[in-house]
Amino acid sequence: MKVAVDGIVREAKTDEFLIDLITRTGGSVPHVCYHPQLGPVQTCDTCMVEVNGRLVRACATPVTDGMAISTKSAKAEAAQVEAFDRILSNHMLYCTVCDNNNGNCVVHNTTKLLAIEHQQIPFRTKPYEVDNTNPFYRYDPDQCILCGRCVEACQNVEVNETLSINWEDPNPRVLWDGGSTIGESSCVSCGHCVTVCPCNALMEKSMLGHAGFLTSLKKSALSGMIEIVKGVEPETGYGSILQISEAEHAMREHRIRKTKTVCTYCGVGCSFDVWTKDRHILKIAPEHGPANGISTCVKGKFGWGHINSEDRLTTPLIRENDKFRQASWEEAIALVARRLSEIKNKDGADSLAFISSSKCTNEESYLMQKLARAVIGTNNVDNCSRYCQAPATAGLFRTVGYGGDSGSISDIEKADLVIIIGSNTAESHPVIATRVKSSHKLDGQKLIVSDLRENEMARRADLFLHPKPGTDLVWLSAISRYLLDNGLAHTKFLDQWVNGLDQYRKSLEPYTLEAAERLTGLSERSIRTVAHMIAEAKATCILWAMGVTQQSQGSDTSTAISNLLLITGNYMRPGTGAYPLRGHNNVQGASDHGSMPNMLTGYQSVDDPEVRQRFETKWKVTLPSTKGLDNHQMVEAIHAGKLKAMYVLGEEMSIVDSNANYVEAAFEKLDFFVVQDIFFSHTCRYADVVLPGAPSLEKEGTFTSTERRIQRLYEVLEPLAGCRPDWKIVQDVANQMGAGWHYQHPSEIMDEIAFLTPMFAGVNYERLAGYKSLQWPVAADGTDQPLHYTKRFAFPDGKARLFPVSWIGPTDQPNAEFDLHLNNGRLLEHFHEGNLTYRTEGIREKTPDVFVEVSPELAEERGIQSGTWVQLISRYGKVRVRALVTDRVQGRELYMPMNSVESPVNRLTSSHTDVVTNTPAYKEASVQMKVLAEVGESPLPRINPRFGHPTPQNGVEVERKWKRADYAPPGNGNGLVQLQTKK
Ligand code: SF4
Ligand code: SF4
Ligand code: SF4
Ligand code: FES
């Protein structure tokens, strides 16, 4: 299409809004409420342009062929200024003493763009107090311009549906849950609203009093200064006042650093700028992240209290006479090297084992496995993907050839049907959940959730399935059989792309609908409904997580999921595929980079002589060829007296491995134990040497997220005095043992990885600069694959393989003595055991402790209320914990979040594992529950968002504003005198 913008002919794209066309082609038009990631909000009216003689909003008017658009006609400019004047009546310009005076304040910048000198409608305060009741941000109604961006973000991007504007009120404002305080509302502190607020109405508390040079002054002094500014404004106009504030902003540029990083918590891979002043974190500013854009959850936006926590480790520690004493780095490294060498010389290389951290970088994972293999000579190296994701990887390796998500988050967004199995996505992968919630709310995406708990996604789902624990494989196989039997499978896809149909079909014989109903407790009807929904959907994605993988048949169930996707042709196209949601920020990368007992980098097998030779030539060593011990086997080997020394990097292994009492007993038997961490973790208690590493903000490197996306993190802060980046520590240990490594920067490590690994051939730091990212596999020319398998599957003939599996049933079943099923998993606010997140005060305030969820019916039967102390006793251990009565759980099924060091759920779990990968069957646990006499406070305080009452609506509902008696579109002669401008 061709259109004219201010007399110049421009090429327009179909469906493009005028505002996008104008800014894309180098023009500008004032706009306040429009944000490209929110779409048209239409509340501010400042974007008025003239089209063929009529005033329209540029942000909401799609381009049509032949349009003549004027952004600068007298009519358009008058309307823009009039609209903006209304905005200024809601906002006091005191920029010089405002913490938001950082060059990106939309109100400030629009005042300047429109060259406003004096406002026509005077500023008036609103009859509301500032709301300070959220620990992380505050709302100032007097500064709120009612643009509604926050409402749009909360309702339609985050889809927490907390915010609205009371348009019918004489004094509209933003409301939380229709009128609650923020602190007592359903607000989950994700920060979307604060991130998109165009002014200082919503501000991070960490900014207040810290960002500006004058903003830390006492309130009385600030008020006085604001009065002075207001006093001179009639004479000087805003132009001169803005100049002063711009000078103050320029001074800030020298002391505020903005550094890109990647979130340290979950596997979504959110990236953002961290604003810092010295070591103070001013705010997290998400915008350009390829996975998240403006989105974050509470942890990524506000959960950084661990960085400057007073209990950071800042010096190496050495155990002496059962006490730890401080030591120099030289002494500690020398001791580690000496003891590892002695044990290797005495008991052999395979008497040592190494655990990499899925919180650390790809480069650090690589060096850890290189230390194990090239310096020590053992393949005994693993990472915590063994605890969660190894079964999903195995299921995908069996069927499609690679062990990663088959597409991107944008594919999940596009799907017609999303099926979530055993994943509490809204709490464990919050930003991915926002995409599903939004597509479901706004675009007609269908959602099926299968889970033991009625979590948020289950409540939103079109169909919620609650099968008996450990029976997912059965209903998945029954659906496959039903589809094949009824001619609903994708025959063309199967013919062209899939091997093994006959054998697979035969393996499905036991999985009739009747058998599935009997074994799973799901009705035949609901299983049939799911089958038809898949058959009718154009594109289906299946998301799954630890509810599937942490079972004794986690690998087989993951395989069944992939089989189902294959027979329905749900691979190779946008909006389809398999999405095992990776838990930790770099659990994908830790495995990708060789911290596995059987694989070198890029899943190259240790028993392949060609592979080994390539590494041996580069590393100039001879490498062991037999598979090493995984972390489950390591514990067994310690108990068997075969494993004598361990080096654990950044893992709270003693309580996050299952059957924690057994793991701790093993650690006590070690001859030598090194733990590298940023805090004195529970695991450190068993160490002989503790080495203080550095958190993600204090180092460079790369993380790989769940969508196989490799992203760079930059050094936001220098390592705290006494700490070292973990890659340097591993290098120091290796060199003390004679390795002769000379890495000066993590980019050199990545170059070595790319050289040795076909899957990463084209990865380098330049291609990952800033917010650039690559989704593996990456060809030598830098071509990556956001959607995997578009041309072929990763098997020699390019075809996928149906892999028959059969159900054997879960372990550790309830019986008369242990009569309750215990499920466990994550909480939104805390990450894993909580070692990092408990160090953020606001998170602790909202979610102070662990609890066990008890169903209302079981609570009634046992006389339990929220706050009752109970003792849970399993076949392996016991914990004391408070009950939370909730209908999220049903009947005799309990749920315990994993966020506790004092009462970890893993005192109760067993040593049973997935039969293929040795992943602990954490989700198969049975307990008895003793009700204790004490009744305490509810473990979740009233200010926890779970007690809020959201107010769903479709965005900001601007039409209600337009219906107000005092509203008329600007430029339509509603009695306002035109404003004075410099133009
Ligand atoms: S949930 Fe809370 S922090 Fe998140 S957008 Fe809504 S109001 Fe803002
Ligand atoms: S608080 Fe919301 S409505 Fe008010 S200015 Fe900020 S984004 Fe706009
Ligand atoms: S924890 Fe996950 S969803 Fe939350 S900000 Fe970090 S990466 Fe994003
Ligand atoms: S930017 Fe168009 S109405 Fe606000």
Side-chain angles (χ1 to χ4, degrees):
M1 285 185 291
K2 286 206 166 29
V3 298
V5 180
D6 294 327
I8 302 169
V9 176
R10 304 283 190 198
E11 294 273 349
K13 297 180 191 166
T14 317
D15 292 336
E16 196 171 22
F17 288 118
L18 297 186
I19 201 164
D20 294 327
L21 166 76
I22 294 164
T23 45
R24 183 174 59 75
T25 53
S28 77
V29 63
H31 55 279
V32 175
C33 69
Y34 183 70
H35 185 295
Q37 292 180 48
L38 297 176
V41 183
Q42 300 191 77
T43 50
C44 78
D45 292 339
T46 52
C47 64
M48 290 291 185
V49 294
E50 203 176 329
V51 175
N52 304 341
R54 262 186 342 115
L55 283 177
V56 297
R57 294 183 186 89
C59 67
T61 308
V63 177
T64 54
D65 200 18
M67 266 183 167
I69 304 151
S70 172
T71 65
K72 298 183 171 47
S73 72
K75 203 165 154 187
E77 285 195 340
Q80 292 163 6
V81 172
E82 185 184 335
F84 192 67
D85 193 56
R86 296 176 190 178
I87 288 189
L88 288 182
S89 73
N90 277 310
H91 184 97
M92 189 188 272
L93 287 171
Y94 53 71
C95 312
T96 312
V97 291
C98 173
D99 283 301
N100 202 43
N101 182 36
N102 301 303
N104 60 346
C105 176
V106 180
V107 177
H108 176 114
N109 295 347
T110 312
T111 309
K112 192 172 166 201
L113 179 72
L114 287 170
I116 303 285
E117 283 296 322
H118 302 287
Q119 64 191 89
Q120 202 65 26
I121 313 174
F123 167 74
R124 58 190 177 88
T125 58
K126 302 183 187 77
Y128 309 113
E129 296 293 309
V130 174
D131 190 333
N132 268 308
T133 57
N134 180 285
F136 305 113
Y137 70 94
R138 69 100 181 93
Y139 173 60
D140 183 350
D142 277 346
Q143 291 298 91
C144 172
I145 58 172
L146 300 168
C147 70
R149 275 189 184 188
C150 57
V151 180
E152 200 69 24
C154 184
Q155 289 284 346
N156 288 351
V157 180
E158 156 69 12
V159 200
N160 205 56
E161 301 172 319
T162 300
L163 296 186
S164 60
I165 292 179
N166 49 349
W167 289 118
E168 292 76 17
D169 195 278
N171 296 291
R173 56 161 286 171
V174 176
L175 299 176
W176 276 252
D177 284 3
S180 157
T181 60
I182 307 176
E184 294 201 328
S185 75
S186 58
C187 169
V188 290
S189 304
C190 65
H192 282 76
C193 55
V194 190
T195 294
V196 297
C197 181
C199 61
N200 64 345
L202 283 168
M203 290 275 297
E204 297 85 355
K205 286 186 173 172
S206 48
M207 286 281 281
L208 297 176
H210 292 285
F213 281 85
L214 300 170
T215 54
S216 60
L217 296 176
K218 276 197 183 141
K219 204 170 172 225
S220 54
L222 277 183
S223 305
M225 288 179 72
I226 293 169
E227 284 309 310
I228 293 169
V229 173
K230 288 284 131 191
V232 299
E233 182 260 325
E235 199 176 320
T236 61
Y238 281 131
S240 330
I241 296 172
L242 293 189
Q243 276 176 13
I244 299 172
S245 61
E246 275 165 23
E248 197 265 356
H249 156 237
M251 285 161 63
R252 293 186 192 189
E253 292 279 290
H254 295 291
R255 66 172 190 176
I256 296 180
R257 283 186 70 207
K258 297 168 190 168
T259 317
K260 184 231 170 177
T261 194
V262 182
C263 184
T264 199
Y265 292 107
C266 89
V268 176
C270 296
S271 53
F272 29 72
D273 279 1
V274 188
W275 290 28
T276 48
K277 189 179 84 176
D278 304 321
R279 282 195 70 89
H280 177 72
I281 296 174
L282 285 164
K283 72 167 172 177
I284 299 298
E287 186 177 356
H288 305 295
N292 60 310
I294 56 169
S295 295
T296 43
C297 74
V298 56
K299 300 183 290 295
K301 178 77 181 172
F302 297 114
W304 298 93
H306 62 282
I307 298 294
N308 289 318
S309 165
E310 284 186 356
D311 42 349
R312 280 275 304 274
L313 286 170
T314 52
T315 176
L317 302 173
I318 291 176
R319 180 187 291 275
E320 215 167 65
N321 302 326
D322 265 349
K323 286 212 170 95
F324 284 99
R325 68 162 171 84
Q326 297 187 343
S328 68
W329 273 104
E330 292 66 32
E331 184 189 8
I333 297 284
L335 176 62
V336 171
R338 178 169 62 75
R339 291 293 289 132
L340 295 183
S341 302
E342 282 170 3
I343 293 168
K344 175 184 166 181
N345 293 338
K346 180 164 161 278
D347 298 303
D350 287 337
S351 66
L352 292 90
F354 297 78
I355 300 288
S356 280
S357 173
S358 54
K359 285 257 153 287
C360 287
T361 64
N362 288 325
E363 293 74 5
E364 287 163 343
S365 172
Y366 174 80
L367 287 196
M368 197 64 176
Q369 59 90 40
K370 185 172 175 181
L371 172 67
R373 293 183 162 119
V375 181
I376 303 292
T378 180
N379 279 319
N380 292 344
V381 58
D382 207 357
N383 74 89
C384 83
S385 72
R386 183 77 43 204
Y387 297 149
C388 57
Q389 285 301 332
T393 305
L396 294 175
F397 262 118
R398 282 169 166 180
T399 50
V400 289
Y402 269 124
D405 285 10
S406 60
S408 302
I409 295 168
S410 57
D411 288 294
I412 301 172
E413 233 173 312
K414 280 182 215 136
D416 293 314
L417 172 64
V418 168
I419 304 177
I420 300 178
I421 308 173
S423 155
N424 181 5
T425 318
E427 302 206 41
S428 302
H429 297 86
V431 167
I432 290 182
T434 67
R435 303 321 193 232
V436 177
K437 291 192 281 183
S438 178
S439 294
H440 185 252
K441 178 175 180 178
L442 304 174
D443 302 327
Q445 183 178 78
K446 291 276 181 285
L447 175 63
I448 299 173
V449 172
S450 169
D451 208 286
L452 298 188
R453 287 170 80 233
E454 199 176 341
N455 58 41
E456 183 189 340
M457 302 311 275
R459 288 196 173 157
R460 289 178 178 275
D462 299 285
L463 184 62
F464 169 45
L465 306 173
H466 175 229
K468 286 183 195 163
T471 62
D472 291 325
L473 193 155
V474 176
W475 66 263
L476 286 159
S477 298
I479 289 174
S480 289
R481 178 179 165 157
Y482 179 84
L483 291 168
L484 287 165
D485 287 353
N486 291 282
L488 295 169
H490 198 312
T491 323
K492 200 171 153 219
F493 184 86
L494 283 168
D495 288 346
Q496 191 178 353
W497 290 111
V498 186
N499 289 323
L501 180 60
D502 292 343
Q503 210 192 347
Y504 175 60
R505 195 191 271 265
K506 198 162 171 6
S507 76
L508 293 175
E509 269 169 20
Y511 303 101
T512 60
L513 292 182
E514 302 78 46
E517 180 172 289
R518 183 169 31 85
L519 294 170
T520 65
L522 299 175
S523 69
E524 282 189 38
R525 193 161 154 260
S526 57
I527 298 173
R528 219 180 294 121
T529 304
V530 179
H532 283 280
M533 284 173 79
I534 299 173
E536 280 155 28
K538 287 198 194 82
T540 298
C541 289
I542 303 186
L543 285 48
W544 74 101
M546 297 186 291
V548 167
T549 58
Q550 293 178 339
Q551 308 264 1
S552 51
Q553 280 197 282
S555 296
D556 290 343
T557 307
S558 301
T559 308
I561 290 172
S562 191
N563 285 338
L564 174 57
L565 289 166
L566 284 171
I567 66 156
T568 51
N570 277 303
Y571 272 112
M572 304 183 109
R573 287 178 293 125
T576 65
Y579 298 84
L581 302 177
R582 307 296 179 176
H584 283 266
N585 55 327
N586 201 37
V587 70
Q588 179 72 54
S591 296
D592 293 348
H593 290 81
S595 287
M596 294 182 87
N598 55 342
M599 305 280 192
L600 285 140
T601 54
Y603 304 97
Q604 303 179 84
S605 181
V606 293
D607 60 16
D608 182 334
E610 187 279 320
V611 168
R612 270 203 323 280
Q613 198 194 6
R614 195 160 7 103
F615 280 80
E616 285 171 344
T617 308
K618 180 74 182 164
W619 290 351
K620 300 186 180 63
V621 292
T622 304
L623 289 174
S625 59
T626 48
K627 175 183 176 299
L629 301 173
D630 61 44
N631 45 19
H632 175 77
Q633 293 165 329
M634 288 175 195
V635 173
E636 297 294 349
I638 301 170
H639 279 298
K642 293 180 186 152
L643 196 67
K644 307 286 187 187
M646 271 185 89
Y647 184 164
V648 171
L649 165 56
E651 283 294 329
E652 184 59 299
M653 190 169 166
S654 63
I655 52 166
V656 303
D657 198 349
S658 64
N659 200 353
N661 294 333
Y662 186 66
V663 177
E664 287 170 345
F667 287 162
E668 279 174 357
K669 293 180 182 168
L670 282 169
D671 288 353
F672 188 63
F673 190 21
V674 185
V675 179
Q676 189 166 313
D677 214 313
I678 61 172
F679 295 108
F680 191 83
S681 65
H682 189 86
T683 307
C684 288
R685 297 180 199 189
Y686 303 92
D688 294 290
V689 178
V690 176
L691 301 172
S696 61
L697 295 195
E698 295 178 4
K699 58 191 173 191
E700 294 215 23
T702 58
F703 289 153
T704 306
S705 69
T706 189
E707 48 178 358
R708 298 170 282 108
R709 189 185 293 282
I710 310 166
Q711 304 185 88
R712 264 181 86 173
L713 44 145
Y714 292 81
E715 187 187 86
V716 175
L717 302 165
E718 280 182 12
L720 199 61
C723 306
R724 291 183 183 176
D726 297 86
W727 64 271
K728 285 192 178 167
I729 303 173
V730 177
Q731 173 161 258
D732 290 343
V733 171
N735 284 343
Q736 188 78 25
M737 297 180 80
W741 297 352
H742 302 289
Y743 306 109
Q744 300 295 315
H745 188 265
S747 60
E748 296 164 17
I749 305 172
M750 184 52 85
D751 289 343
E752 182 173 314
I753 296 166
F755 175 80
L756 288 166
T757 318
M759 200 169 98
F760 301 132
V763 179
N764 62 47
Y765 270 36
E766 213 178 293
R767 290 193 173 128
L768 295 170
Y771 280 89
K772 288 195 280 186
S773 66
L774 293 164
Q775 287 172 273
W776 65 251
V778 184
D781 65 0
T783 312
D784 68 343
Q785 292 198 20
L787 180 64
H788 218 165
Y789 316 119
T790 48
K791 298 196 176 73
R792 63 196 313 277
F793 287 98
F795 291 115
D797 63 356
K799 287 190 169 192
R801 297 171 181 173
L802 288 164
F803 190 102
V805 286
S806 39
W807 186 71
I808 48 175
T811 60
D812 212 335
Q813 293 277 61
N815 61 9
E817 188 183 1
F818 301 100
D819 57 334
L820 304 173
H821 179 270
L822 177 68
N823 187 13
N824 60 76
R826 296 220 161 103
L827 266 194
L828 172 68
E829 298 89 335
H830 284 290
F831 196 79
H832 225 83
E833 78 290 326
N835 275 351
L836 302 184
T837 43
Y838 275 114
R839 288 175 162 97
T840 293
E841 205 182 317
I843 291 182
R844 236 178 27 241
E845 190 183 305
K846 291 245 171 207
T847 316
D849 205 357
V850 71
F851 46 84
V852 58
E853 288 186 352
V854 179
S855 70
E857 52 273 28
L858 186 62
E860 195 183 333
E861 181 191 310
R862 306 274 171 106
I864 290 171
Q865 62 191 64
S866 288
T868 304
W869 282 94
V870 297
Q871 190 172 45
L872 301 178
I873 305 163
S874 78
R875 298 172 176 104
Y876 310 94
K878 54 189 172 192
V879 298
R880 197 173 160 276
V881 65
R882 274 179 292 170
L884 182 75
V885 180
T886 167
D887 59 6
R888 281 188 290 271
V889 287
Q890 293 183 19
R892 306 176 91 72
E893 291 171 2
L894 306 174
Y895 177 83
M896 203 175 146
M898 54 173 80
N899 56 302
S900 179
V901 176
E902 291 76 28
S903 303
V905 68
N906 288 318
R907 297 244 174 266
L908 303 168
T909 51
S910 74
S911 293
H912 293 295
T913 63
D914 172 45
V915 289
V916 179
T917 60
N918 267 342
T919 293
Y922 292 95
K923 301 296 191 273
E924 296 173 6
S926 307
V927 293
Q928 51 178 262
M929 179 167 62
K930 275 195 186 154
V931 181
L932 305 175
E934 295 157 80
V935 179
E937 300 268 298
S938 166
L940 276 186
R942 170 66 193 87
I943 55 167
N944 187 277
R946 288 166 185 79
F947 295 114
H949 300 283
T951 49
Q953 60 180 47
N954 192 348
V956 71
E957 295 186 345
V958 66
E959 298 79 8
R960 288 166 46 208
K961 171 182 172 174
W962 296 341
K963 282 188 193 144
R964 283 177 66 100
D966 59 358
Y967 177 79
N972 282 2
N974 61 347
L976 279 175
V977 180
Q978 283 306 316
L979 302 162
Q980 300 171 36
T981 74
K982 276 189 175 168
K983 289 184 181 171

